[in-house]
Amino acid sequence: MIKKFVAIQFFVLFFFSKVIRADEGMWIPLFLSQYNIEDMKKLGFKLTADDIYNVNAASLKDAVVLFGRGCTGELISNEGLLLTNHHCGYNNIQFHSSVENDYLTNGYWAMNREQELPNPSLSVSFLVRMEDVSQKVLSNVNSGMPESVRQATISKVIEDLEKAASENGKYQAVIKPFFYGNEYYLFISEVFRDVRLVGAPPSSIGKFGGDTDNWDWPRHTGDFCVFRIYADKNNQPASYSKENVPYKPKKYFPIYLGGVKEDDFTMVYGYPGRTQEYLTSFAVQMVSEVENPHQINLRQQRINILKNDMGKSAEVRIKYSAKYAGISNYWKKWMGETAGLRKLGAIEKKRNLEKKFQEWANSDETKQKQYGTLLAEFEKVYNQMTPLALVDDYLFEGIFTIEALSFALEFRNLLAINDQTTETEKRKIIDRLTIVSKGFFKNYNAPTDKKIMAAILKTYRDSLPSEFHAETYKFIDSKFKGNYEKFVDYVFEKSILVSQDKVNEFLVNFKPSMIKKLRKDPVVKQYLDFIDVYISKVSPTLVELENNLSRLNRLYIKALREMQPEKKFYPDANSTLRISYGKVKSFNPRNGVTYHFQTTLDGAIEKSKMIASEFDDYNVSPKLKSLFENKDYGNYAENGKMPLCFIATNHTTGGNSGSPVLNANGYLIGINFDRTWEGTMSDIMYHPDYCRNITLDIRYVLFVIEKFAGAKHLINEMTLIK
């Protein structure tokens, strides 16, 4: 009778596992024909799997790039013209900005190729091909290996495979684990390093709504900017040179002017950063009840200080705009994620799955031997890990976000110089520090960092047990009677690391005999004190626990796939090229609230009239107001209104920023730039009723380029389809 009951449970579980919503998942393009293309066609998609990904002919993948270190971009002309989000290009816009030429506030548009601005630290990568190398990577490992030995063995194989695949540096070759190391895939990319800024709207468009609207719907943000990829005369990657010419891509996206309507098919093609869909209940509990609340508080303190200082000085505002945006982004995201997980009852849902898993694992002797103790082991690991993970958070979301201390980290190689270090190695270290320090002080304000140091030092001490307090606190108590402000005044008065002139003088006159003095520098001493806490009291145990967790996660996902053989499992995002697909859809995030799928410029103007005086985030430029009042929208309006943004059910995350959003024909209809706040828990648990990706309508992009910026020459490069 018991066996019959269990069998019925398994039948129900398998039946429902066959039905996975099309909206959910970030799928590997290599396997679309196997897992997805039929579902996509049922939703209205009109192309083939080969049209999306093909290594033998041009396909949509050849129009998509990894932009910089963590965004996506798309090609829109045969002259290398590229779109991404304004917030993805923000650092580069800031790089070219000054108080005299404030491109962040006022925007920038190159009216000819000579005015396009080079960006020394920016690159874009095109995926050439991907390959399943699981068998090769795992050929020398076995289940009896200690985790550390397993990882070392795998790392050696990966290193050799990557080196061979790079073809002596012609390509960038990276192998990444999938399903917690049950599978491995090789990604071969071509990297272009001459990428120039072509255009950026003013912040009143590109950041409209600012941090107030971040993660929210309805949105009215023109979150885009324009770059161009350059290549050598043979159309090959090359470092910046005046001799380089616009890149001729294998593929670029035609632009559709017909817009969207409810239930239209949409597809996002990009590089999602990181998701954790297969976490256990123990992990979700640690994230939502411990880590997120503390990290939110730590970022809130920095946000308050930065906002105050930026509001008082244009120079500080320009220096810290990108940093502020980065800090506030995940601060708000973590709040939404925590609320969303609570609303979904995520912990309880995970526990229900784990209960079924345990029944399945206990159903026969073989499974019991392999998987019977997994959940108990998970619980033990997380009980040990939670307090250490909290210390880790306070160090890396707190102490080491103090800019002076993060700068001290750059001196670690200099501090490690000894009698065996050659003169060439010393020179290389000094030269690198000279470059790093120039970049650091360009966007650094010591008075702001002083306030952050005082606040974070106090919060760290108040929040953690004394066993994790650094030696620094004894010095604060003995010399300054626990007064953090006086201690910080002392640090900034005595340290060379908070003054560009002092750092330059130190580097120019450096001799190995000066290292002893550098170790006594109050910033360096503080950095070393906290590093000592991490190395002696956190890292060894945490590494051991994480190694154990790697093994458990690998076995757990393997077992889940065995338990649900008919379910289509998609791998967690890991900054590799993926597609997600769904439909344009309105939504009801909470009782009594219904959101339409689309916004227009009317909404931006309404916000500016109602609350612009209270929030600078909602300022609208006089020129945009004039275009609105005259309904001067060119060819881009719909029913007399200027479409601005829309939402759909595509499963996205960080890294999808800037991704092309495509219609059923593979035409560009928008640029992905955000998610709704109610759906930010989708990194851990997706729900079709609450998860929406936010897209900038491509017609608004074209309107801003042509009518606002007067850059019609860029429109003329594009292929427009009505």
PDB file of all heavy atoms in Angstrom, residues 526-551:
ATOM      1  N   GLN A 526      45.203  49.000   8.750  1.00  0.00           N
ATOM      2  CA  GLN A 526      43.794  48.645   8.930  1.00  0.00           C
ATOM      3  C   GLN A 526      43.385  47.546   7.949  1.00  0.00           C
ATOM      4  O   GLN A 526      42.716  46.572   8.341  1.00  0.00           O
ATOM      5  CB  GLN A 526      42.939  49.904   8.696  1.00  0.00           C
ATOM      6  CG  GLN A 526      41.492  49.761   9.125  1.00  0.00           C
ATOM      7  CD  GLN A 526      40.698  51.030   8.891  1.00  0.00           C
ATOM      8  OE1 GLN A 526      39.482  50.996   8.827  1.00  0.00           O
ATOM      9  NE2 GLN A 526      41.369  52.167   8.750  1.00  0.00           N
ATOM     10  N   TYR A 527      43.802  47.690   6.706  1.00  0.00           N
ATOM     11  CA  TYR A 527      43.518  46.667   5.691  1.00  0.00           C
ATOM     12  C   TYR A 527      44.101  45.316   6.113  1.00  0.00           C
ATOM     13  O   TYR A 527      43.421  44.277   6.051  1.00  0.00           O
ATOM     14  CB  TYR A 527      44.098  47.119   4.348  1.00  0.00           C
ATOM     15  CG  TYR A 527      44.363  46.005   3.363  1.00  0.00           C
ATOM     16  CD1 TYR A 527      43.324  45.391   2.673  1.00  0.00           C
ATOM     17  CD2 TYR A 527      45.666  45.557   3.126  1.00  0.00           C
ATOM     18  CE1 TYR A 527      43.575  44.364   1.779  1.00  0.00           C
ATOM     19  CE2 TYR A 527      45.923  44.534   2.232  1.00  0.00           C
ATOM     20  CZ  TYR A 527      44.875  43.931   1.559  1.00  0.00           C
ATOM     21  OH  TYR A 527      45.114  42.918   0.678  1.00  0.00           O
ATOM     22  N   LEU A 528      45.352  45.305   6.557  1.00  0.00           N
ATOM     23  CA  LEU A 528      46.004  44.058   6.962  1.00  0.00           C
ATOM     24  C   LEU A 528      45.341  43.448   8.188  1.00  0.00           C
ATOM     25  O   LEU A 528      45.242  42.216   8.299  1.00  0.00           O
ATOM     26  CB  LEU A 528      47.487  44.313   7.233  1.00  0.00           C
ATOM     27  CG  LEU A 528      48.345  44.673   6.010  1.00  0.00           C
ATOM     28  CD1 LEU A 528      49.760  45.058   6.448  1.00  0.00           C
ATOM     29  CD2 LEU A 528      48.394  43.514   5.022  1.00  0.00           C
ATOM     30  N   ASP A 529      44.868  44.282   9.109  1.00  0.00           N
ATOM     31  CA  ASP A 529      44.170  43.775  10.302  1.00  0.00           C
ATOM     32  C   ASP A 529      42.919  42.994   9.916  1.00  0.00           C
ATOM     33  O   ASP A 529      42.641  41.910  10.450  1.00  0.00           O
ATOM     34  CB  ASP A 529      43.779  44.932  11.222  1.00  0.00           C
ATOM     35  CG  ASP A 529      44.954  45.466  12.025  1.00  0.00           C
ATOM     36  OD1 ASP A 529      46.029  44.830  12.011  1.00  0.00           O
ATOM     37  OD2 ASP A 529      44.797  46.526  12.671  1.00  0.00           O
ATOM     38  N   PHE A 530      42.136  43.555   8.986  1.00  0.00           N
ATOM     39  CA  PHE A 530      40.896  42.884   8.591  1.00  0.00           C
ATOM     40  C   PHE A 530      41.160  41.681   7.696  1.00  0.00           C
ATOM     41  O   PHE A 530      40.428  40.686   7.766  1.00  0.00           O
ATOM     42  CB  PHE A 530      39.941  43.882   7.919  1.00  0.00           C
ATOM     43  CG  PHE A 530      39.202  44.744   8.903  1.00  0.00           C
ATOM     44  CD1 PHE A 530      39.618  46.040   9.162  1.00  0.00           C
ATOM     45  CD2 PHE A 530      38.110  44.255   9.596  1.00  0.00           C
ATOM     46  CE1 PHE A 530      38.954  46.842  10.079  1.00  0.00           C
ATOM     47  CE2 PHE A 530      37.433  45.042  10.513  1.00  0.00           C
ATOM     48  CZ  PHE A 530      37.851  46.339  10.764  1.00  0.00           C
ATOM     49  N   ILE A 531      42.190  41.763   6.880  1.00  0.00           N
ATOM     50  CA  ILE A 531      42.577  40.597   6.084  1.00  0.00           C
ATOM     51  C   ILE A 531      42.975  39.454   7.008  1.00  0.00           C
ATOM     52  O   ILE A 531      42.671  38.280   6.757  1.00  0.00           O
ATOM     53  CB  ILE A 531      43.736  40.950   5.129  1.00  0.00           C
ATOM     54  CG1 ILE A 531      43.208  41.724   3.922  1.00  0.00           C
ATOM     55  CG2 ILE A 531      44.489  39.717   4.663  1.00  0.00           C
ATOM     56  CD1 ILE A 531      42.343  40.906   2.985  1.00  0.00           C
ATOM     57  N   ASP A 532      43.652  39.787   8.099  1.00  0.00           N
ATOM     58  CA  ASP A 532      44.060  38.769   9.068  1.00  0.00           C
ATOM     59  C   ASP A 532      42.837  38.074   9.676  1.00  0.00           C
ATOM     60  O   ASP A 532      42.840  36.848   9.868  1.00  0.00           O
ATOM     61  CB  ASP A 532      44.901  39.400  10.177  1.00  0.00           C
ATOM     62  CG  ASP A 532      45.368  38.365  11.193  1.00  0.00           C
ATOM     63  OD1 ASP A 532      46.129  37.461  10.802  1.00  0.00           O
ATOM     64  OD2 ASP A 532      44.947  38.461  12.368  1.00  0.00           O
ATOM     65  N   VAL A 533      41.796  38.847   9.969  1.00  0.00           N
ATOM     66  CA  VAL A 533      40.551  38.248  10.473  1.00  0.00           C
ATOM     67  C   VAL A 533      39.998  37.257   9.459  1.00  0.00           C
ATOM     68  O   VAL A 533      39.597  36.138   9.803  1.00  0.00           O
ATOM     69  CB  VAL A 533      39.500  39.349  10.773  1.00  0.00           C
ATOM     70  CG1 VAL A 533      38.136  38.726  11.048  1.00  0.00           C
ATOM     71  CG2 VAL A 533      39.933  40.196  11.952  1.00  0.00           C
ATOM     72  N   TYR A 534      39.980  37.689   8.206  1.00  0.00           N
ATOM     73  CA  TYR A 534      39.411  36.833   7.159  1.00  0.00           C
ATOM     74  C   TYR A 534      40.229  35.554   6.984  1.00  0.00           C
ATOM     75  O   TYR A 534      39.672  34.450   6.928  1.00  0.00           O
ATOM     76  CB  TYR A 534      39.346  37.602   5.845  1.00  0.00           C
ATOM     77  CG  TYR A 534      38.677  36.825   4.732  1.00  0.00           C
ATOM     78  CD1 TYR A 534      37.308  36.584   4.771  1.00  0.00           C
ATOM     79  CD2 TYR A 534      39.403  36.313   3.660  1.00  0.00           C
ATOM     80  CE1 TYR A 534      36.675  35.864   3.767  1.00  0.00           C
ATOM     81  CE2 TYR A 534      38.787  35.588   2.649  1.00  0.00           C
ATOM     82  CZ  TYR A 534      37.419  35.373   2.710  1.00  0.00           C
ATOM     83  OH  TYR A 534      36.802  34.652   1.727  1.00  0.00           O
ATOM     84  N   ILE A 535      41.538  35.708   6.927  1.00  0.00           N
ATOM     85  CA  ILE A 535      42.404  34.554   6.670  1.00  0.00           C
ATOM     86  C   ILE A 535      42.445  33.591   7.853  1.00  0.00           C
ATOM     87  O   ILE A 535      42.444  32.364   7.687  1.00  0.00           O
ATOM     88  CB  ILE A 535      43.833  35.026   6.314  1.00  0.00           C
ATOM     89  CG1 ILE A 535      43.827  35.729   4.955  1.00  0.00           C
ATOM     90  CG2 ILE A 535      44.819  33.855   6.298  1.00  0.00           C
ATOM     91  CD1 ILE A 535      45.148  36.361   4.589  1.00  0.00           C
ATOM     92  N   SER A 536      42.462  34.125   9.057  1.00  0.00           N
ATOM     93  CA  SER A 536      42.631  33.263  10.236  1.00  0.00           C
ATOM     94  C   SER A 536      41.320  32.705  10.780  1.00  0.00           C
ATOM     95  O   SER A 536      41.301  31.599  11.334  1.00  0.00           O
ATOM     96  CB  SER A 536      43.349  34.042  11.346  1.00  0.00           C
ATOM     97  OG  SER A 536      42.570  35.147  11.770  1.00  0.00           O
ATOM     98  N   LYS A 537      40.213  33.441  10.613  1.00  0.00           N
ATOM     99  CA  LYS A 537      38.983  33.036  11.298  1.00  0.00           C
ATOM    100  C   LYS A 537      37.797  32.738  10.382  1.00  0.00           C
ATOM    101  O   LYS A 537      36.790  32.204  10.850  1.00  0.00           O
ATOM    102  CB  LYS A 537      38.573  34.121  12.294  1.00  0.00           C
ATOM    103  CG  LYS A 537      39.613  34.347  13.381  1.00  0.00           C
ATOM    104  CD  LYS A 537      39.153  35.393  14.378  1.00  0.00           C
ATOM    105  CE  LYS A 537      40.188  35.586  15.487  1.00  0.00           C
ATOM    106  NZ  LYS A 537      39.780  36.594  16.476  1.00  0.00           N
ATOM    107  N   VAL A 538      37.909  33.095   9.116  1.00  0.00           N
ATOM    108  CA  VAL A 538      36.762  32.916   8.216  1.00  0.00           C
ATOM    109  C   VAL A 538      37.101  32.004   7.044  1.00  0.00           C
ATOM    110  O   VAL A 538      36.466  30.965   6.840  1.00  0.00           O
ATOM    111  CB  VAL A 538      36.260  34.286   7.689  1.00  0.00           C
ATOM    112  CG1 VAL A 538      35.063  34.083   6.751  1.00  0.00           C
ATOM    113  CG2 VAL A 538      35.892  35.208   8.840  1.00  0.00           C
ATOM    114  N   SER A 539      38.103  32.392   6.283  1.00  0.00           N
ATOM    115  CA  SER A 539      38.373  31.762   4.998  1.00  0.00           C
ATOM    116  C   SER A 539      38.596  30.245   5.057  1.00  0.00           C
ATOM    117  O   SER A 539      37.972  29.512   4.281  1.00  0.00           O
ATOM    118  CB  SER A 539      39.571  32.435   4.325  1.00  0.00           C
ATOM    119  OG  SER A 539      39.865  31.837   3.102  1.00  0.00           O
ATOM    120  N   PRO A 540      39.457  29.722   5.933  1.00  0.00           N
ATOM    121  CA  PRO A 540      39.716  28.272   5.895  1.00  0.00           C
ATOM    122  C   PRO A 540      38.455  27.434   6.073  1.00  0.00           C
ATOM    123  O   PRO A 540      38.215  26.491   5.308  1.00  0.00           O
ATOM    124  CB  PRO A 540      40.690  28.062   7.061  1.00  0.00           C
ATOM    125  CG  PRO A 540      41.343  29.392   7.254  1.00  0.00           C
ATOM    126  CD  PRO A 540      40.276  30.397   6.958  1.00  0.00           C
ATOM    127  N   THR A 541      37.653  27.790   7.074  1.00  0.00           N
ATOM    128  CA  THR A 541      36.427  27.020   7.320  1.00  0.00           C
ATOM    129  C   THR A 541      35.417  27.237   6.210  1.00  0.00           C
ATOM    130  O   THR A 541      34.753  26.298   5.753  1.00  0.00           O
ATOM    131  CB  THR A 541      35.804  27.419   8.671  1.00  0.00           C
ATOM    132  OG1 THR A 541      36.778  27.282   9.693  1.00  0.00           O
ATOM    133  CG2 THR A 541      34.606  26.536   8.992  1.00  0.00           C
ATOM    134  N   LEU A 542      35.308  28.489   5.742  1.00  0.00           N
ATOM    135  CA  LEU A 542      34.344  28.802   4.687  1.00  0.00           C
ATOM    136  C   LEU A 542      34.700  28.083   3.393  1.00  0.00           C
ATOM    137  O   LEU A 542      33.818  27.560   2.703  1.00  0.00           O
ATOM    138  CB  LEU A 542      34.300  30.318   4.459  1.00  0.00           C
ATOM    139  CG  LEU A 542      33.023  30.896   3.828  1.00  0.00           C
ATOM    140  CD1 LEU A 542      31.781  30.475   4.602  1.00  0.00           C
ATOM    141  CD2 LEU A 542      33.116  32.409   3.759  1.00  0.00           C
ATOM    142  N   VAL A 543      35.970  28.022   3.067  1.00  0.00           N
ATOM    143  CA  VAL A 543      36.406  27.308   1.862  1.00  0.00           C
ATOM    144  C   VAL A 543      36.066  25.826   1.973  1.00  0.00           C
ATOM    145  O   VAL A 543      35.575  25.200   1.011  1.00  0.00           O
ATOM    146  CB  VAL A 543      37.916  27.499   1.628  1.00  0.00           C
ATOM    147  CG1 VAL A 543      38.438  26.514   0.585  1.00  0.00           C
ATOM    148  CG2 VAL A 543      38.206  28.930   1.186  1.00  0.00           C
ATOM    149  N   GLU A 544      36.317  25.265   3.144  1.00  0.00           N
ATOM    150  CA  GLU A 544      36.003  23.849   3.359  1.00  0.00           C
ATOM    151  C   GLU A 544      34.506  23.590   3.211  1.00  0.00           C
ATOM    152  O   GLU A 544      34.081  22.621   2.570  1.00  0.00           O
ATOM    153  CB  GLU A 544      36.471  23.433   4.758  1.00  0.00           C
ATOM    154  CG  GLU A 544      36.274  21.963   5.055  1.00  0.00           C
ATOM    155  CD  GLU A 544      36.741  21.591   6.457  1.00  0.00           C
ATOM    156  OE1 GLU A 544      37.560  22.342   7.035  1.00  0.00           O
ATOM    157  OE2 GLU A 544      36.283  20.557   6.975  1.00  0.00           O
ATOM    158  N   LEU A 545      33.698  24.479   3.796  1.00  0.00           N
ATOM    159  CA  LEU A 545      32.247  24.330   3.704  1.00  0.00           C
ATOM    160  C   LEU A 545      31.761  24.511   2.269  1.00  0.00           C
ATOM    161  O   LEU A 545      30.873  23.787   1.809  1.00  0.00           O
ATOM    162  CB  LEU A 545      31.555  25.347   4.623  1.00  0.00           C
ATOM    163  CG  LEU A 545      31.720  25.108   6.132  1.00  0.00           C
ATOM    164  CD1 LEU A 545      31.199  26.297   6.921  1.00  0.00           C
ATOM    165  CD2 LEU A 545      30.992  23.827   6.558  1.00  0.00           C
ATOM    166  N   GLU A 546      32.351  25.464   1.562  1.00  0.00           N
ATOM    167  CA  GLU A 546      31.941  25.700   0.175  1.00  0.00           C
ATOM    168  C   GLU A 546      32.350  24.545  -0.726  1.00  0.00           C
ATOM    169  O   GLU A 546      31.623  24.203  -1.671  1.00  0.00           O
ATOM    170  CB  GLU A 546      32.517  27.023  -0.322  1.00  0.00           C
ATOM    171  CG  GLU A 546      31.793  28.232   0.275  1.00  0.00           C
ATOM    172  CD  GLU A 546      32.430  29.558  -0.082  1.00  0.00           C
ATOM    173  OE1 GLU A 546      33.598  29.548  -0.550  1.00  0.00           O
ATOM    174  OE2 GLU A 546      31.776  30.602   0.108  1.00  0.00           O
ATOM    175  N   ASN A 547      33.487  23.934  -0.445  1.00  0.00           N
ATOM    176  CA  ASN A 547      33.872  22.733  -1.186  1.00  0.00           C
ATOM    177  C   ASN A 547      32.874  21.609  -0.957  1.00  0.00           C
ATOM    178  O   ASN A 547      32.473  20.897  -1.886  1.00  0.00           O
ATOM    179  CB  ASN A 547      35.270  22.266  -0.772  1.00  0.00           C
ATOM    180  CG  ASN A 547      36.372  23.066  -1.432  1.00  0.00           C
ATOM    181  OD1 ASN A 547      36.165  23.699  -2.465  1.00  0.00           O
ATOM    182  ND2 ASN A 547      37.563  23.050  -0.841  1.00  0.00           N
ATOM    183  N   ASN A 548      32.473  21.464   0.285  1.00  0.00           N
ATOM    184  CA  ASN A 548      31.473  20.452   0.618  1.00  0.00           C
ATOM    185  C   ASN A 548      30.153  20.769  -0.072  1.00  0.00           C
ATOM    186  O   ASN A 548      29.473  19.890  -0.610  1.00  0.00           O
ATOM    187  CB  ASN A 548      31.290  20.391   2.137  1.00  0.00           C
ATOM    188  CG  ASN A 548      30.607  19.110   2.580  1.00  0.00           C
ATOM    189  OD1 ASN A 548      30.375  18.194   1.787  1.00  0.00           O
ATOM    190  ND2 ASN A 548      30.259  19.043   3.863  1.00  0.00           N
ATOM    191  N   LEU A 549      29.811  22.057  -0.085  1.00  0.00           N
ATOM    192  CA  LEU A 549      28.569  22.500  -0.712  1.00  0.00           C
ATOM    193  C   LEU A 549      28.601  22.246  -2.224  1.00  0.00           C
ATOM    194  O   LEU A 549      27.577  21.894  -2.826  1.00  0.00           O
ATOM    195  CB  LEU A 549      28.351  23.990  -0.428  1.00  0.00           C
ATOM    196  CG  LEU A 549      26.922  24.525  -0.508  1.00  0.00           C
ATOM    197  CD1 LEU A 549      25.983  23.735   0.380  1.00  0.00           C
ATOM    198  CD2 LEU A 549      26.912  25.995  -0.120  1.00  0.00           C
ATOM    199  N   SER A 550      29.758  22.434  -2.838  1.00  0.00           N
ATOM    200  CA  SER A 550      29.894  22.149  -4.268  1.00  0.00           C
ATOM    201  C   SER A 550      29.547  20.692  -4.564  1.00  0.00           C
ATOM    202  O   SER A 550      28.837  20.381  -5.525  1.00  0.00           O
ATOM    203  CB  SER A 550      31.326  22.437  -4.736  1.00  0.00           C
ATOM    204  OG  SER A 550      31.620  23.797  -4.659  1.00  0.00           O
ATOM    205  N   ARG A 551      30.051  19.813  -3.718  1.00  0.00           N
ATOM    206  CA  ARG A 551      29.758  18.380  -3.888  1.00  0.00           C
ATOM    207  C   ARG A 551      28.273  18.102  -3.702  1.00  0.00           C
ATOM    208  O   ARG A 551      27.644  17.398  -4.511  1.00  0.00           O
ATOM    209  CB  ARG A 551      30.582  17.568  -2.881  1.00  0.00           C
ATOM    210  CG  ARG A 551      30.305  16.060  -2.908  1.00  0.00           C
ATOM    211  CD  ARG A 551      31.092  15.352  -1.827  1.00  0.00           C
ATOM    212  NE  ARG A 551      30.702  15.779  -0.493  1.00  0.00           N
ATOM    213  CZ  ARG A 551      29.663  15.264   0.188  1.00  0.00           C
ATOM    214  NH1 ARG A 551      28.910  14.307  -0.362  1.00  0.00           N
ATOM    215  NH2 ARG A 551      29.381  15.681   1.404  1.00  0.00           N
TER     216      ARG A 551
END
